[in-house]
């Protein structure tokens, strides 16, 4: 029971850090045009770059993350439906005897077409969010997107998160664990997020 409560607390903290990803999803759910309109927004990115169309399940997401979720188990409340994913991995209950043993990785993803103007507008809005840093990275710039990172420590649990906004959708990856350091740095969560793109 105690372990379950601790795992729930870790996941709750993880989801709190993922407010950035949720904000992007909520703010853009009706803001971008459909595929044809988004393509006319002035984006110079190749239409095949920055996509994650090969992903169809949380198992696919886990494979794309590489070794990031090795040793963790996919939680039953994970979902992958249509164009949205909420995939959560955590230390197996049998191995987590103390809060310090618990690690969680959460991925939020949403397929959606964004024009260059959409991405610019969202970037301006997100840059004003406390604790969020804009990341200058040639990988996301190559397909006309933008990356953001955030880290937080709350009640002895530390989480790091990165979000990549591309012309074809967004991916947010968060790593959470007990102590002063998250199991992955923001650079590592950013690398993991890029692993989900074609």
């Amino acid at each position: 029971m105690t372990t379950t409560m601790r795992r729930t607390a870790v996941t709750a903290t993880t989801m709190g850090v993922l407010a950035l990803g949720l904000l992007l999803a909520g703010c853009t759910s009706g803001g971008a045009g459909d595929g044809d309109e988004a393509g006319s927004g002035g984006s110079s990115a190749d239409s095949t770059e920055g996509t994650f169309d090969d992903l169809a399940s949380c198992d696919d997401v886990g494979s794309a993350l590489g070794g990031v979720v090795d040793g963790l188990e996919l939680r039953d409340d994970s979902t992958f439906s249509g164009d949205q994913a909420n995939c959560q991995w955590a230390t197996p209950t049998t191995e987590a005897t103390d809060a310090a043993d618990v690690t969680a990785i959460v991925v939020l993803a949403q397929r959606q077409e964004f024009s260059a103007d959409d991405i610019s507008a969202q970037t301006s809005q997100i840059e004003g969010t406390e604790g969020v840093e804009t990341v200058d990275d040639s990988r996301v710039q190559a397909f006309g997107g933008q990356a953001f990172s955030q880290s937080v420590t709350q009640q002895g649990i530390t989480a790091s998160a990165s979000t990549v906004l591309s012309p074809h959708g967004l991916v947010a990856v968060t790593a959470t664990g007990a102590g002063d350091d998250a199991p992955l740095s923001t650079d590592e969560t950013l690398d993991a997020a890029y692993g989900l793109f074609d």
Side-chain angles (χ1 to χ4, degrees):
M1 177 69 75
T2 301
T3 300
T4 301
M5 291 174 64
R6 288 173 177 156
R7 290 180 66 194
T8 300
V10 168
T11 301
T13 300
T14 300
M15 297 307 290
V17 173
L18 280 174
L20 172 59
L22 291 171
L23 175 61
L24 282 168
C27 288
T28 59
S29 61
D34 61 28
D36 293 336
E37 291 174 352
S40 65
S43 174
S44 60
D46 186 295
S47 62
T48 62
E49 295 179 330
T51 65
F52 42 100
D53 291 337
D54 290 341
L55 305 177
S57 68
C58 285
D59 288 335
D60 289 345
V61 172
S63 295
L65 290 171
V68 170
V69 296
D70 287 354
L72 305 179
E73 63 182 14
L74 185 65
R75 290 173 54 96
D76 291 340
D77 51 355
S78 297
T79 59
F80 197 116
S81 177
D83 292 332
Q84 297 186 355
N86 178 350
C87 304
Q88 306 175 30
W89 292 265
T91 304
T93 304
T94 55
E95 297 177 17
T97 57
D98 186 86
D101 299 328
V102 178
T103 294
I105 305 291
V106 175
V107 174
L108 292 181
Q110 177 177 312
R111 293 186 180 100
Q112 185 173 335
E113 295 302 304
F114 298 108
S115 71
D117 289 344
D118 293 328
I119 291 174
S120 178
Q122 291 304 316
T123 297
S124 295
Q125 181 174 348
I126 296 302
E127 284 176 338
T129 304
E130 184 177 355
V132 175
E133 297 182 3
T134 301
V135 179
D136 292 325
D137 192 292
S138 60
R139 293 171 293 184
V140 69
Q141 292 167 354
F143 53 71
Q146 182 60 60
F148 309 90
S149 66
Q150 182 181 23
S151 60
V152 65
T153 300
Q154 179 182 352
Q155 298 180 346
I157 296 172
T158 300
S160 63
S162 292
T163 299
V164 176
L165 177 61
S166 89
H168 304 290
L170 66 89
V171 169
V173 176
T174 300
T176 305
D180 295 330
D181 297 310
L184 300 175
S185 66
T186 52
D187 285 345
E188 290 171 322
T189 56
L190 184 60
D191 288 343
Y194 283 121
L196 303 181
F197 290 93
D198 296 342

